[in-house]
Amino acid sequence: MNIIPYGRQEITSTDIESVLSTLRSDYLTQGPAIYEFEKNFAICVGAKYAVAVNNGTAALHLAYLGSGIVNGSRVVTTPLTFAATANAALYCGADVVFCDIDPKTMLIDIEKLEEILKVENIDLITIVSFAGYPIEHRKLSEIAKKYGCKIIEDACHSPGSSRVYENEIVRTGSCDYVDVTVFSFHPVKHIACGEGGMITTNCEDVYEKLCLLRTHGISNKELKFKTNNDGLWYHEQHELGYNYRMPDILAALGNSQLMRLRSSIQKRNEIAVIYDKHLRDLPLTVPYRENSIEHAFHLYVIRTERRKELYEYLRSNKIFAQVHYLPVYLHPYYREKYGCLKGQFPVVEKFYDECLSLPMFPTLSSIDQQYVISKIIEFCN
Ligand SMILES: *Cc1c(COP(=O)(O)O)cnc(C)c1O
């Protein structure tokens, strides 16, 4: 019996062919595969612009810069996320304020968020669609407008998710109600590039700024030149940017994987339904879901007070479940930086004590899933 991990990428022969054809072409970086990937991704999520970068953290960094986050800005976010969500705001010199989570959806608690916005000066809210659960686009956008904040959606867990309102479907990444959305193409995520990220927006100014910052802040667009154009070789730097470019080799892989996004979300939802059915009546909690959402199921997270024992039991049976996440403010770096203490946000801490992410990936076979389920039942008995 092989190890069953909590997440795993799928690489098909079509994926391999598309990488090989890029390797045989003239461009290894910033060639036609990047433009194809960006164009197709923007269409897929329903946004006007998409900018590919070399990982999700770089995408977050540029999203903050593109949203005007500078030294001394203040960003509020959820502690239930990968540290990069907060780290990237710190890269810009911003301060990060945390807000506890909603005990049902595990996303930022909107009422508590509003309490913070009432008393603190906040420039931007970063919402994480944790596990693939789409955010409350409309409500959050109303609040952001009321308090004059921008919104970044960290959708690294949730490409392909959507939320249904009366007579409107809001797709994650469409930026219909947020300023920018950020995605990651790390192999455990829905689309695997090895390393990769994407930023979507509907704002042309933000789009141009992202393009500039991705490549050193250097422009080769004649219309944008601030001094004399010395000749065809000429380009000039306008901002302090970075090298956050995605290679064409990886864009070719991402583009090929993007074509399977819909079917892989469907498969993840089928796997979730089977877990729900078999685990619902055991002494543990299965993930909450409203009828009005399409979940992307990056993670399938159960809760149990015997989390550590269950984790170890599964591991001894070669099932490598995982814990997502240690609340960001409890990392020693944040404890030291902000004097964060245990007990600060009770809802997320209780979740951290009880959560366990079960194997969830499109190629999880039904035999392997039944094996996982049988081991959980065995443990509960
Ligand atoms: C994976 C992830 C990131 C970082 O993405 P990388 O591509 O690994 O840099 C950021 N935020 C969340 C919520 C993630 O899951």
Side-chain angles (χ1 to χ4, degrees), residues 57 60-61 64 82-93 96 328 333-334:
T57 306
L60 278 162
H61 187 191
Y64 284 119
F82 184 57
T85 311
N87 290 349
L90 300 187
Y91 297 166
C92 308
V96 174
V328 175
Y333 176 82
Y334 281 90

Side-chain angles (χ1 to χ4, degrees), residues 65-217:
L65 292 172
S67 305
I69 293 306
V70 293
N71 227 344
S73 297
R74 290 169 65 75
V75 171
V76 60
T77 192
T78 168
L80 185 61
T81 183
F82 184 57
T85 311
N87 290 349
L90 300 187
Y91 297 166
C92 308
D95 263 315
V96 174
V97 176
F98 293 102
C99 173
D100 211 347
I101 58 168
D102 178 310
K104 266 188 178 159
T105 62
M106 306 309 152
L107 310 193
I108 205 162
D109 184 319
I110 297 182
E111 279 171 26
K112 286 180 183 153
L113 174 65
E114 198 164 1
E115 292 303 309
I116 292 173
L117 297 177
K118 268 182 198 158
V119 295
E120 298 208 37
N121 227 336
I122 300 287
D123 301 289
L124 185 143
I125 312 164
T126 308
I127 314 287
V128 178
S129 28
F130 176 76
Y133 201 102
I135 68 171
E136 257 285 8
H137 303 92
R138 282 189 180 177
K139 214 188 261 177
L140 286 160
S141 142
E142 248 169 57
I143 291 177
K145 274 207 192 91
K146 186 168 161 189
Y147 295 95
C149 316
K150 293 198 167 166
I151 304 181
I152 291 178
E153 179 174 7
D154 180 341
C156 290
H157 292 189
S158 62
S161 69
S162 58
R163 191 174 266 272
V164 182
Y165 296 94
E166 61 290 353
N167 61 46
E168 188 187 18
I169 295 175
V170 179
R171 281 185 279 168
T172 297
S174 66
C175 297
D176 287 341
Y177 291 92
V178 304
D179 295 281
V180 280
T181 310
V182 164
F183 299 90
S184 163
F185 307 131
H186 182 279
V188 298
K189 311 285 166 70
H190 295 71
I191 294 170
C193 286
E195 298 281 356
M198 191 76 82
I199 313 157
T200 59
T201 183
N202 293 328
C203 175
E204 191 179 354
D205 291 347
V206 172
Y207 170 69
E208 288 190 347
K209 187 156 183 195
L210 296 173
C211 292
L212 202 62
L213 290 173
R214 160 175 73 177
T215 182
H216 309 280

Side-chain angles (χ1 to χ4, degrees), residues 276-301:
D276 284 348
K277 185 173 136 215
H278 289 93
L279 305 180
R280 177 181 290 138
D281 298 325
L282 297 176
L284 50 81
T285 309
V286 298
Y288 168 80
R289 211 172 343 157
E290 291 158 277
N291 288 330
S292 57
I293 64 156
E294 182 172 17
H295 203 302
F297 277 113
H298 165 54
L299 304 172
Y300 185 93
V301 189

